[in-house]
Amino acid sequence: MPYQRQLLPAQIPMHKDAATTGPAIMDDLEFHTRAHCNPDDTQQDFLDALTGRADRQQLLDEVRVLDQQLKALSASLTVPPQLKQSLLKTAQPSVIKRNIFALAASLVLAVGFAVSTMQYSPSADELAMHDAMIEHLVHEEPRYIDAQPIQWSEVEAVLASADIKLHLPENTLIVTFANLCGLGNNRRAVHLVAMGEHGPVSMLLIHSPPIGGNMEVRDNRFKGRIVPASAGNMAVVGEKDEKLDKFERLISNSVQWSI
Amino acid sequence: MYSPWSTASDLAKLGTIIQEQQRNKMSETPVIGRNKPDNSRKRRYETLVDSYYQDVYRYAYWLARNPAVAEDLVQETFLRAWRSFDSLQSEGAAKAWLFTILRRENARMYERYRPDMVDIDDVSIAEDDHNEPDQRQKLSELHEAIMKLEKEYRDPLMLQIVGGFSGKEIADILDLNNNTVMTRLFRARSKLRVMLDPDAVGPDAEVAADDASNESTELTTRP
């Protein structure tokens, strides 16, 4: 019956004057439709339409059984047991804990650095990435040298465009510049700049095969290093006198790469 | 030059300064609760988590169809909620607010990157000894049917089932008009019934057949 198929909920007239015209006004199709839209419908005209109609009651019971099964199925989904505690931690001050973790991580980083620098010799590709990065920093300098703090949401938007996340509470890192750049292989890299004691500090997150070890920046003006991460490379670069380890710790402890 | 985090206390001071600056910039914006003490804000947030985290996770599961992604989504949703908690104007609107954040995060984080695939084997339904084997079988079949349901039908249905939202609330969350939501709820249940009972005849089977041949009927979105 084609006309039935065309008569969807939006087109079915609602009989608000049921009280004056009697309960029998609802036809089977409207009842069927409303039972499927909301089997717990308590409007009087819907309830009246059940009177003396065992077939309608049966249909409604069937749809209600379906709803009960849907609710039972949803209720049976296992909610991860630690989820609630994890969500509540969001509201706890975590700076001290972060600093403890950062300290522990920095010790591991320092030991790793000592070991890796003894053995590591960069490949030609890795040296090329280093050179491209320095060239990029010099080229971009006019854009970030006098930049003012930007909203964290802008930073997040840039990170999201490169499939990278930084799990940092808002205002932890005062970023003055956030942009995508072409460093790395085929995918976009992120260039963030924060203000250090002696000038801007650049933090670059680059999608490229992790390098074989930590690579010190070799430049007349800048200092810093490139550090391999789980799914890319991270570089923190600033002026010669800048203390960069705190920036490096902060980023390395909070970065999450999407592969 | 000025270092943003010489010590933890410097960091805290800096955060306060920035927040103060932002507050001054936004002083015309009427937001309820901004001046409430932090512990009150924290208590309200904890109540929010306690009341809704299970429902939010369960809807996230149906939305993402993957428990690990669902957990990530819930984490991100509540993190966003905490950050913008002051924008919540009424506790009564909290649930719909959370579900809206969840959907936005899902779109932002995953929909662009993840193919629309059904992880039927990746089921995290709790084993319930009270259920008879045939009941468990029925739930398993229902789970499979929901996973196969088109997203446009599954989304409003699970908002109604898990969230208990009215048609109007679902329309607001999905940014659709009410008639479209009603149509999708009708089709969702009809299609599920046909999937669970393929021999069924009548209007449900006609809806399923109609959908298979023509998806164009009454699917208007709000301009």
Side-chain angles (χ1 to χ4, degrees), chain A residues 10 32 36-37 59 62 67 70 74-76 78 84 86-87 156 163 172-173 195 197 246-247, chain B residues 1 3-5 45 50 58 62 75-76 83 113 124-126 146 160 179 182 189 193 203-204:
Chain A
H32 179 92
H36 279 72
C37 288
L59 169 72
E62 286 174 7
D67 263 33
L70 286 166
S74 282
S76 70
T78 309
K84 184 179 173 185
S86 168
L87 298 174
E156 287 183 318
D163 299 350
T172 304
L173 182 63
M195 193 54 71
E197 289 180 37
K246 54 198 170 190
F247 291 91
Chain B
M1 287 277 192
S3 168
W5 46 63
Y45 172 79
D50 200 39
R58 286 173 177 140
W62 295 120
Q75 297 269 12
E76 199 63 30
R83 284 180 184 169
Y113 310 119
S124 61
I125 299 173
I146 296 169
Q160 194 180 50
N179 289 337
M182 288 297 128
R189 286 192 175 87
R193 292 186 71 204
D204 289 336

mmCIF file of all heavy atoms in Angstrom, chain A residues 10 32 36-37 59 62 67 70 74-76 78 84 86-87 156 163 172-173 195 197 246-247, chain B residues 1 3-5 45 50 58 62 75-76 83 113 124-126 146 160 179 182 189 193 203-204:
data_model
loop_
_atom_site.group_PDB
_atom_site.id
_atom_site.type_symbol
_atom_site.label_atom_id
_atom_site.label_comp_id
_atom_site.label_asym_id
_atom_site.label_seq_id
_atom_site.Cartn_x
_atom_site.Cartn_y
_atom_site.Cartn_z
ATOM 1 N N ALA A 10 5.858 12.702 10.558
ATOM 2 C CA ALA A 10 5.760 14.143 10.331
ATOM 3 C C ALA A 10 4.454 14.521 9.650
ATOM 4 O O ALA A 10 3.990 15.651 9.755
ATOM 5 C CB ALA A 10 6.921 14.600 9.472
ATOM 6 N N HIS A 32 0.262 2.711 15.046
ATOM 7 C CA HIS A 32 1.484 1.930 14.803
ATOM 8 C C HIS A 32 2.719 2.844 14.848
ATOM 9 O O HIS A 32 3.736 2.519 15.463
ATOM 10 C CB HIS A 32 1.361 1.268 13.430
ATOM 11 C CG HIS A 32 2.546 0.447 13.038
ATOM 12 N ND1 HIS A 32 2.631 -0.905 13.293
ATOM 13 C CD2 HIS A 32 3.697 0.779 12.424
ATOM 14 C CE1 HIS A 32 3.781 -1.361 12.849
ATOM 15 N NE2 HIS A 32 4.457 -0.364 12.303
ATOM 16 N N HIS A 36 5.804 3.135 17.790
ATOM 17 C CA HIS A 36 7.219 2.933 17.474
ATOM 18 C C HIS A 36 8.069 4.160 17.805
ATOM 19 O O HIS A 36 9.264 4.031 18.057
ATOM 20 C CB HIS A 36 7.394 2.574 15.989
ATOM 21 C CG HIS A 36 7.112 1.123 15.707
ATOM 22 N ND1 HIS A 36 5.835 0.609 15.726
ATOM 23 C CD2 HIS A 36 7.936 0.075 15.420
ATOM 24 C CE1 HIS A 36 5.887 -0.685 15.458
ATOM 25 N NE2 HIS A 36 7.153 -1.039 15.265
ATOM 26 N N CYS A 37 7.464 5.345 17.735
ATOM 27 C CA CYS A 37 8.230 6.558 18.088
ATOM 28 C C CYS A 37 8.483 6.608 19.596
ATOM 29 O O CYS A 37 9.568 6.984 20.036
ATOM 30 C CB CYS A 37 7.470 7.823 17.693
ATOM 31 S SG CYS A 37 7.425 8.102 15.941
ATOM 32 N N LEU A 59 0.581 -5.162 19.882
ATOM 33 C CA LEU A 59 1.673 -4.452 19.181
ATOM 34 C C LEU A 59 2.471 -3.597 20.176
ATOM 35 O O LEU A 59 3.706 -3.633 20.194
ATOM 36 C CB LEU A 59 1.098 -3.554 18.080
ATOM 37 C CG LEU A 59 2.105 -2.581 17.464
ATOM 38 C CD1 LEU A 59 3.110 -3.308 16.574
ATOM 39 C CD2 LEU A 59 1.417 -1.475 16.688
ATOM 40 N N GLU A 62 4.700 -5.600 22.342
ATOM 41 C CA GLU A 62 5.885 -6.079 21.619
ATOM 42 C C GLU A 62 6.957 -4.987 21.528
ATOM 43 O O GLU A 62 8.145 -5.240 21.717
ATOM 44 C CB GLU A 62 5.496 -6.553 20.213
ATOM 45 C CG GLU A 62 4.755 -7.881 20.205
ATOM 46 C CD GLU A 62 4.250 -8.264 18.827
ATOM 47 O OE1 GLU A 62 4.585 -7.571 17.833
ATOM 48 O OE2 GLU A 62 3.491 -9.248 18.738
ATOM 49 N N ASP A 67 11.966 -2.303 23.790
ATOM 50 C CA ASP A 67 12.600 -1.223 24.552
ATOM 51 C C ASP A 67 13.235 -1.747 25.842
ATOM 52 O O ASP A 67 14.327 -1.320 26.226
ATOM 53 C CB ASP A 67 11.569 -0.136 24.888
ATOM 54 C CG ASP A 67 11.629 0.999 23.886
ATOM 55 O OD1 ASP A 67 11.931 0.714 22.709
ATOM 56 O OD2 ASP A 67 11.383 2.159 24.269
ATOM 57 N N LEU A 70 16.402 -3.313 24.923
ATOM 58 C CA LEU A 70 17.416 -2.296 24.605
ATOM 59 C C LEU A 70 18.000 -1.696 25.886
ATOM 60 O O LEU A 70 19.217 -1.502 26.004
ATOM 61 C CB LEU A 70 16.798 -1.180 23.755
ATOM 62 C CG LEU A 70 16.500 -1.523 22.296
ATOM 63 C CD1 LEU A 70 15.595 -0.462 21.663
ATOM 64 C CD2 LEU A 70 17.783 -1.642 21.488
ATOM 65 N N SER A 74 21.848 -2.066 27.200
ATOM 66 C CA SER A 74 22.700 -0.910 27.529
ATOM 67 C C SER A 74 23.195 -0.985 28.965
ATOM 68 O O SER A 74 24.359 -0.689 29.256
ATOM 69 C CB SER A 74 21.924 0.397 27.324
ATOM 70 O OG SER A 74 21.873 0.702 25.965
ATOM 71 N N ALA A 75 22.289 -1.412 29.870
ATOM 72 C CA ALA A 75 22.683 -1.503 31.282
ATOM 73 C C ALA A 75 23.741 -2.577 31.492
ATOM 74 O O ALA A 75 24.499 -2.530 32.461
ATOM 75 C CB ALA A 75 21.460 -1.788 32.142
ATOM 76 N N SER A 76 23.794 -3.559 30.597
ATOM 77 C CA SER A 76 24.751 -4.653 30.774
ATOM 78 C C SER A 76 26.135 -4.316 30.226
ATOM 79 O O SER A 76 27.069 -5.090 30.402
ATOM 80 C CB SER A 76 24.229 -5.922 30.093
ATOM 81 O OG SER A 76 24.262 -5.757 28.692
ATOM 82 N N THR A 78 29.682 -3.065 30.221
ATOM 83 C CA THR A 78 30.614 -2.907 31.338
ATOM 84 C C THR A 78 31.268 -1.529 31.293
ATOM 85 O O THR A 78 32.002 -1.221 30.366
ATOM 86 C CB THR A 78 31.724 -3.965 31.260
ATOM 87 O OG1 THR A 78 31.116 -5.234 31.111
ATOM 88 C CG2 THR A 78 32.582 -3.949 32.505
ATOM 89 N N LYS A 84 35.390 6.309 36.772
ATOM 90 C CA LYS A 84 34.881 7.379 37.628
ATOM 91 C C LYS A 84 36.025 8.089 38.358
ATOM 92 O O LYS A 84 36.080 9.332 38.384
ATOM 93 C CB LYS A 84 33.885 6.809 38.635
ATOM 94 C CG LYS A 84 33.237 7.876 39.492
ATOM 95 C CD LYS A 84 32.245 7.265 40.443
ATOM 96 C CE LYS A 84 31.731 8.302 41.417
ATOM 97 N NZ LYS A 84 30.850 7.712 42.430
ATOM 98 N N SER A 86 39.062 8.254 37.544
ATOM 99 C CA SER A 86 39.854 8.985 36.559
ATOM 100 C C SER A 86 39.193 10.323 36.209
ATOM 101 O O SER A 86 39.859 11.347 36.073
ATOM 102 C CB SER A 86 39.995 8.101 35.321
ATOM 103 O OG SER A 86 40.495 8.829 34.268
ATOM 104 N N LEU A 87 37.869 10.308 36.090
ATOM 105 C CA LEU A 87 37.151 11.552 35.760
ATOM 106 C C LEU A 87 37.212 12.539 36.925
ATOM 107 O O LEU A 87 37.315 13.751 36.713
ATOM 108 C CB LEU A 87 35.690 11.236 35.418
ATOM 109 C CG LEU A 87 35.458 10.341 34.207
ATOM 110 C CD1 LEU A 87 33.982 9.997 34.059
ATOM 111 C CD2 LEU A 87 35.968 11.016 32.934
ATOM 112 N N GLU A 156 45.141 24.054 20.561
ATOM 113 C CA GLU A 156 44.534 22.724 20.402
ATOM 114 C C GLU A 156 44.067 22.497 18.975
ATOM 115 O O GLU A 156 44.172 21.384 18.442
ATOM 116 C CB GLU A 156 43.363 22.572 21.369
ATOM 117 C CG GLU A 156 43.807 22.402 22.813
ATOM 118 C CD GLU A 156 42.641 22.169 23.753
ATOM 119 O OE1 GLU A 156 41.604 22.856 23.581
ATOM 120 O OE2 GLU A 156 42.746 21.337 24.641
ATOM 121 N N ASP A 163 47.010 15.816 14.130
ATOM 122 C CA ASP A 163 46.761 14.558 14.849
ATOM 123 C C ASP A 163 47.658 14.405 16.080
ATOM 124 O O ASP A 163 48.168 13.324 16.363
ATOM 125 C CB ASP A 163 46.966 13.344 13.940
ATOM 126 C CG ASP A 163 46.033 13.339 12.762
ATOM 127 O OD1 ASP A 163 45.104 14.162 12.751
ATOM 128 O OD2 ASP A 163 46.227 12.530 11.866
ATOM 129 N N THR A 172 48.944 26.242 31.588
ATOM 130 C CA THR A 172 50.224 25.692 32.028
ATOM 131 C C THR A 172 51.338 26.203 31.142
ATOM 132 O O THR A 172 52.424 26.531 31.612
ATOM 133 C CB THR A 172 50.187 24.152 31.953
ATOM 134 O OG1 THR A 172 49.088 23.690 32.715
ATOM 135 C CG2 THR A 172 51.463 23.545 32.503
ATOM 136 N N LEU A 173 51.059 26.260 29.870
ATOM 137 C CA LEU A 173 52.054 26.698 28.901
ATOM 138 C C LEU A 173 51.505 27.934 28.182
ATOM 139 O O LEU A 173 50.441 27.871 27.568
ATOM 140 C CB LEU A 173 52.303 25.557 27.894
ATOM 141 C CG LEU A 173 53.349 25.777 26.818
ATOM 142 C CD1 LEU A 173 54.725 25.969 27.443
ATOM 143 C CD2 LEU A 173 53.390 24.576 25.878
ATOM 144 N N MET A 195 57.310 31.943 25.511
ATOM 145 C CA MET A 195 58.319 32.930 25.857
ATOM 146 C C MET A 195 59.232 32.396 26.960
ATOM 147 O O MET A 195 58.777 31.968 28.011
ATOM 148 C CB MET A 195 57.629 34.218 26.321
ATOM 149 C CG MET A 195 58.558 35.407 26.414
ATOM 150 S SD MET A 195 59.471 35.700 24.874
ATOM 151 C CE MET A 195 58.151 36.299 23.818
ATOM 152 N N GLU A 197 63.180 32.947 29.164
ATOM 153 C CA GLU A 197 63.854 34.051 29.863
ATOM 154 C C GLU A 197 64.677 34.902 28.903
ATOM 155 O O GLU A 197 64.907 36.084 29.140
ATOM 156 C CB GLU A 197 64.769 33.484 30.942
ATOM 157 C CG GLU A 197 64.019 32.887 32.117
ATOM 158 C CD GLU A 197 64.981 32.336 33.162
ATOM 159 O OE1 GLU A 197 66.037 32.951 33.391
ATOM 160 O OE2 GLU A 197 64.668 31.288 33.745
ATOM 161 N N LYS A 246 63.070 22.379 31.054
ATOM 162 C CA LYS A 246 61.710 22.383 31.600
ATOM 163 C C LYS A 246 60.658 22.351 30.490
ATOM 164 O O LYS A 246 59.618 21.712 30.620
ATOM 165 C CB LYS A 246 61.490 23.595 32.506
ATOM 166 C CG LYS A 246 61.807 24.914 31.885
ATOM 167 C CD LYS A 246 61.978 25.987 32.959
ATOM 168 C CE LYS A 246 62.536 27.262 32.357
ATOM 169 N NZ LYS A 246 62.918 28.223 33.392
ATOM 170 N N PHE A 247 60.971 23.030 29.388
ATOM 171 C CA PHE A 247 60.053 22.976 28.244
ATOM 172 C C PHE A 247 60.016 21.553 27.676
ATOM 173 O O PHE A 247 58.951 21.036 27.339
ATOM 174 C CB PHE A 247 60.509 23.949 27.150
ATOM 175 C CG PHE A 247 60.358 25.400 27.520
ATOM 176 C CD1 PHE A 247 61.389 26.087 28.135
ATOM 177 C CD2 PHE A 247 59.180 26.083 27.257
ATOM 178 C CE1 PHE A 247 61.266 27.414 28.473
ATOM 179 C CE2 PHE A 247 59.044 27.417 27.593
ATOM 180 C CZ PHE A 247 60.091 28.093 28.207
ATOM 181 N N MET B 1 63.803 39.054 30.506
ATOM 182 C CA MET B 1 62.602 38.329 30.048
ATOM 183 C C MET B 1 62.003 37.520 31.204
ATOM 184 O O MET B 1 62.675 37.215 32.179
ATOM 185 C CB MET B 1 62.972 37.374 28.901
ATOM 186 C CG MET B 1 63.251 38.104 27.623
ATOM 187 S SD MET B 1 61.730 38.466 26.774
ATOM 188 C CE MET B 1 62.371 38.968 25.217
ATOM 189 N N SER B 3 60.134 34.185 32.839
ATOM 190 C CA SER B 3 59.976 32.737 32.685
ATOM 191 C C SER B 3 58.619 32.293 33.211
ATOM 192 O O SER B 3 58.255 32.646 34.327
ATOM 193 C CB SER B 3 61.063 32.020 33.484
ATOM 194 O OG SER B 3 60.764 30.657 33.559
ATOM 195 N N PRO B 4 57.851 31.552 32.442
ATOM 196 C CA PRO B 4 56.501 31.183 32.874
ATOM 197 C C PRO B 4 56.469 30.153 33.990
ATOM 198 O O PRO B 4 55.466 29.999 34.624
ATOM 199 C CB PRO B 4 55.849 30.639 31.613
ATOM 200 C CG PRO B 4 56.944 30.354 30.675
ATOM 201 C CD PRO B 4 58.131 31.146 31.074
ATOM 202 N N TRP B 5 57.496 29.405 34.256
ATOM 203 C CA TRP B 5 57.372 28.381 35.300
ATOM 204 C C TRP B 5 58.708 28.101 35.997
ATOM 205 O O TRP B 5 59.235 27.000 35.925
ATOM 206 C CB TRP B 5 56.811 27.086 34.744
ATOM 207 C CG TRP B 5 57.448 26.696 33.490
ATOM 208 C CD1 TRP B 5 58.743 26.367 33.263
ATOM 209 C CD2 TRP B 5 56.802 26.617 32.235
ATOM 210 N NE1 TRP B 5 58.945 26.102 31.970
ATOM 211 C CE2 TRP B 5 57.770 26.246 31.310
ATOM 212 C CE3 TRP B 5 55.490 26.850 31.802
ATOM 213 C CZ2 TRP B 5 57.478 26.097 29.963
ATOM 214 C CZ3 TRP B 5 55.206 26.685 30.478
ATOM 215 C CH2 TRP B 5 56.193 26.314 29.585
ATOM 216 N N TYR B 45 30.965 19.551 40.147
ATOM 217 C CA TYR B 45 31.527 18.683 39.097
ATOM 218 C C TYR B 45 31.465 17.212 39.526
ATOM 219 O O TYR B 45 31.101 16.330 38.741
ATOM 220 C CB TYR B 45 32.970 19.095 38.810
ATOM 221 C CG TYR B 45 33.685 18.142 37.879
ATOM 222 C CD1 TYR B 45 33.471 18.183 36.503
ATOM 223 C CD2 TYR B 45 34.559 17.175 38.375
ATOM 224 C CE1 TYR B 45 34.107 17.297 35.652
ATOM 225 C CE2 TYR B 45 35.200 16.286 37.535
ATOM 226 C CZ TYR B 45 34.980 16.356 36.171
ATOM 227 O OH TYR B 45 35.599 15.459 35.337
ATOM 228 N N ASP B 50 29.243 11.769 39.127
ATOM 229 C CA ASP B 50 28.555 10.681 39.808
ATOM 230 C C ASP B 50 27.206 10.381 39.153
ATOM 231 O O ASP B 50 26.825 9.219 38.988
ATOM 232 C CB ASP B 50 28.353 11.097 41.272
ATOM 233 C CG ASP B 50 28.105 9.894 42.153
ATOM 234 O OD1 ASP B 50 28.763 8.863 41.926
ATOM 235 O OD2 ASP B 50 27.233 9.967 43.037
ATOM 236 N N ARG B 58 27.886 4.767 28.252
ATOM 237 C CA ARG B 58 27.069 3.829 27.461
ATOM 238 C C ARG B 58 26.646 4.439 26.135
ATOM 239 O O ARG B 58 26.650 3.763 25.100
ATOM 240 C CB ARG B 58 25.857 3.379 28.278
ATOM 241 C CG ARG B 58 26.271 2.405 29.362
ATOM 242 C CD ARG B 58 25.184 2.041 30.319
ATOM 243 N NE ARG B 58 25.711 1.045 31.258
ATOM 244 C CZ ARG B 58 25.446 1.032 32.556
ATOM 245 N NH1 ARG B 58 24.669 1.947 33.086
ATOM 246 N NH2 ARG B 58 25.987 0.108 33.329
ATOM 247 N N TRP B 62 27.746 3.254 22.148
ATOM 248 C CA TRP B 62 26.892 3.086 20.953
ATOM 249 C C TRP B 62 27.304 4.037 19.848
ATOM 250 O O TRP B 62 27.148 3.728 18.663
ATOM 251 C CB TRP B 62 25.414 3.288 21.311
ATOM 252 C CG TRP B 62 24.877 2.253 22.235
ATOM 253 C CD1 TRP B 62 24.351 2.446 23.483
ATOM 254 C CD2 TRP B 62 24.825 0.827 22.015
ATOM 255 N NE1 TRP B 62 23.983 1.248 24.051
ATOM 256 C CE2 TRP B 62 24.250 0.237 23.169
ATOM 257 C CE3 TRP B 62 25.199 -0.006 20.963
ATOM 258 C CZ2 TRP B 62 24.056 -1.136 23.292
ATOM 259 C CZ3 TRP B 62 25.001 -1.375 21.087
ATOM 260 C CH2 TRP B 62 24.444 -1.928 22.237
ATOM 261 N N GLN B 75 36.449 10.510 28.781
ATOM 262 C CA GLN B 75 37.510 11.298 29.438
ATOM 263 C C GLN B 75 37.548 12.712 28.863
ATOM 264 O O GLN B 75 37.602 13.700 29.593
ATOM 265 C CB GLN B 75 38.874 10.633 29.197
ATOM 266 C CG GLN B 75 39.004 9.255 29.787
ATOM 267 C CD GLN B 75 39.570 9.269 31.196
ATOM 268 O OE1 GLN B 75 39.665 10.329 31.804
ATOM 269 N NE2 GLN B 75 39.903 8.114 31.708
ATOM 270 N N GLU B 76 37.540 12.768 27.558
ATOM 271 C CA GLU B 76 37.646 14.066 26.888
ATOM 272 C C GLU B 76 36.408 14.921 27.156
ATOM 273 O O GLU B 76 36.499 16.131 27.362
ATOM 274 C CB GLU B 76 37.824 13.838 25.385
ATOM 275 C CG GLU B 76 38.375 15.009 24.623
ATOM 276 C CD GLU B 76 39.788 15.402 25.048
ATOM 277 O OE1 GLU B 76 40.558 14.513 25.490
ATOM 278 O OE2 GLU B 76 40.117 16.590 24.963
ATOM 279 N N ARG B 83 36.467 22.188 32.159
ATOM 280 C CA ARG B 83 37.062 23.459 31.725
ATOM 281 C C ARG B 83 36.008 24.538 31.501
ATOM 282 O O ARG B 83 36.245 25.703 31.753
ATOM 283 C CB ARG B 83 37.832 23.241 30.421
ATOM 284 C CG ARG B 83 39.168 22.556 30.617
ATOM 285 C CD ARG B 83 39.837 22.379 29.280
ATOM 286 N NE ARG B 83 41.072 21.641 29.389
ATOM 287 C CZ ARG B 83 41.746 21.171 28.335
ATOM 288 N NH1 ARG B 83 41.276 21.350 27.117
ATOM 289 N NH2 ARG B 83 42.863 20.523 28.494
ATOM 290 N N TYR B 113 38.722 10.253 11.208
ATOM 291 C CA TYR B 113 39.847 9.335 11.048
ATOM 292 C C TYR B 113 39.440 7.863 10.997
ATOM 293 O O TYR B 113 40.199 7.037 10.563
ATOM 294 C CB TYR B 113 40.829 9.522 12.211
ATOM 295 C CG TYR B 113 41.192 10.955 12.416
ATOM 296 C CD1 TYR B 113 40.910 11.601 13.603
ATOM 297 C CD2 TYR B 113 41.790 11.683 11.386
ATOM 298 C CE1 TYR B 113 41.233 12.939 13.778
ATOM 299 C CE2 TYR B 113 42.112 13.015 11.560
ATOM 300 C CZ TYR B 113 41.838 13.633 12.760
ATOM 301 O OH TYR B 113 42.145 14.939 12.936
ATOM 302 N N SER B 124 31.476 -5.614 24.899
ATOM 303 C CA SER B 124 31.837 -5.563 26.310
ATOM 304 C C SER B 124 30.589 -5.661 27.162
ATOM 305 O O SER B 124 30.344 -4.843 28.010
ATOM 306 C CB SER B 124 32.590 -4.271 26.616
ATOM 307 O OG SER B 124 31.772 -3.170 26.331
ATOM 308 N N ILE B 125 29.797 -6.678 26.883
ATOM 309 C CA ILE B 125 28.589 -6.883 27.676
ATOM 310 C C ILE B 125 28.947 -7.737 28.897
ATOM 311 O O ILE B 125 29.593 -8.762 28.771
ATOM 312 C CB ILE B 125 27.514 -7.591 26.849
ATOM 313 C CG1 ILE B 125 27.148 -6.732 25.639
ATOM 314 C CG2 ILE B 125 26.289 -7.874 27.690
ATOM 315 C CD1 ILE B 125 26.225 -7.406 24.685
ATOM 316 N N ALA B 126 28.508 -7.264 30.053
ATOM 317 C CA ALA B 126 28.844 -7.990 31.278
ATOM 318 C C ALA B 126 28.159 -9.352 31.284
ATOM 319 O O ALA B 126 27.003 -9.473 30.892
ATOM 320 C CB ALA B 126 28.406 -7.173 32.487
ATOM 321 N N ILE B 146 21.715 -3.668 16.566
ATOM 322 C CA ILE B 146 21.943 -2.224 16.794
ATOM 323 C C ILE B 146 23.196 -1.778 16.049
ATOM 324 O O ILE B 146 23.235 -0.693 15.449
ATOM 325 C CB ILE B 146 22.092 -1.922 18.303
ATOM 326 C CG1 ILE B 146 20.799 -2.246 19.026
ATOM 327 C CG2 ILE B 146 22.432 -0.451 18.525
ATOM 328 C CD1 ILE B 146 20.959 -2.238 20.541
ATOM 329 N N GLN B 160 17.312 8.234 23.214
ATOM 330 C CA GLN B 160 16.051 8.029 23.917
ATOM 331 C C GLN B 160 16.173 6.911 24.957
ATOM 332 O O GLN B 160 15.703 7.044 26.082
ATOM 333 C CB GLN B 160 14.949 7.678 22.896
ATOM 334 C CG GLN B 160 13.539 7.764 23.447
ATOM 335 C CD GLN B 160 12.504 7.408 22.392
ATOM 336 O OE1 GLN B 160 12.587 6.389 21.722
ATOM 337 N NE2 GLN B 160 11.516 8.278 22.238
ATOM 338 N N ASN B 179 10.143 16.588 13.727
ATOM 339 C CA ASN B 179 9.510 15.601 12.848
ATOM 340 C C ASN B 179 10.534 14.594 12.323
ATOM 341 O O ASN B 179 10.243 13.400 12.199
ATOM 342 C CB ASN B 179 8.836 16.303 11.663
ATOM 343 C CG ASN B 179 7.601 17.069 12.104
ATOM 344 O OD1 ASN B 179 7.012 16.752 13.132
ATOM 345 N ND2 ASN B 179 7.224 18.080 11.338
ATOM 346 N N MET B 182 11.257 12.124 15.021
ATOM 347 C CA MET B 182 10.171 11.143 15.168
ATOM 348 C C MET B 182 10.237 10.090 14.058
ATOM 349 O O MET B 182 10.050 8.896 14.296
ATOM 350 C CB MET B 182 8.810 11.856 15.128
ATOM 351 C CG MET B 182 8.522 12.664 16.358
ATOM 352 S SD MET B 182 8.427 11.608 17.827
ATOM 353 C CE MET B 182 9.542 12.418 18.914
ATOM 354 N N ARG B 189 13.074 1.596 15.321
ATOM 355 C CA ARG B 189 12.436 0.451 15.985
ATOM 356 C C ARG B 189 11.865 -0.524 14.960
ATOM 357 O O ARG B 189 11.931 -1.752 15.139
ATOM 358 C CB ARG B 189 11.341 0.933 16.939
ATOM 359 C CG ARG B 189 11.879 1.560 18.209
ATOM 360 C CD ARG B 189 10.784 1.755 19.264
ATOM 361 N NE ARG B 189 11.344 2.260 20.517
ATOM 362 C CZ ARG B 189 11.535 3.539 20.805
ATOM 363 N NH1 ARG B 189 11.209 4.463 19.908
ATOM 364 N NH2 ARG B 189 12.044 3.902 21.971
ATOM 365 N N ARG B 193 13.023 -4.451 14.661
ATOM 366 C CA ARG B 193 12.064 -5.568 14.779
ATOM 367 C C ARG B 193 12.171 -6.494 13.575
ATOM 368 O O ARG B 193 12.088 -7.714 13.714
ATOM 369 C CB ARG B 193 10.644 -5.024 14.923
ATOM 370 C CG ARG B 193 10.413 -4.296 16.247
ATOM 371 C CD ARG B 193 8.970 -3.888 16.421
ATOM 372 N NE ARG B 193 8.119 -5.048 16.658
ATOM 373 C CZ ARG B 193 6.817 -5.088 16.396
ATOM 374 N NH1 ARG B 193 6.214 -4.018 15.885
ATOM 375 N NH2 ARG B 193 6.117 -6.173 16.655
ATOM 376 N N PRO B 203 3.636 -3.471 8.478
ATOM 377 C CA PRO B 203 4.262 -2.151 8.276
ATOM 378 C C PRO B 203 5.761 -2.120 8.560
ATOM 379 O O PRO B 203 6.509 -1.424 7.890
ATOM 380 C CB PRO B 203 3.501 -1.257 9.267
ATOM 381 C CG PRO B 203 2.191 -1.931 9.453
ATOM 382 C CD PRO B 203 2.460 -3.394 9.351
ATOM 383 N N ASP B 204 6.224 -2.872 9.557
ATOM 384 C CA ASP B 204 7.655 -2.870 9.856
ATOM 385 C C ASP B 204 8.449 -3.377 8.664
ATOM 386 O O ASP B 204 9.470 -2.800 8.280
ATOM 387 C CB ASP B 204 7.970 -3.742 11.070
ATOM 388 C CG ASP B 204 7.466 -3.117 12.347
ATOM 389 O OD1 ASP B 204 7.312 -1.883 12.364
ATOM 390 O OD2 ASP B 204 7.235 -3.857 13.303
#
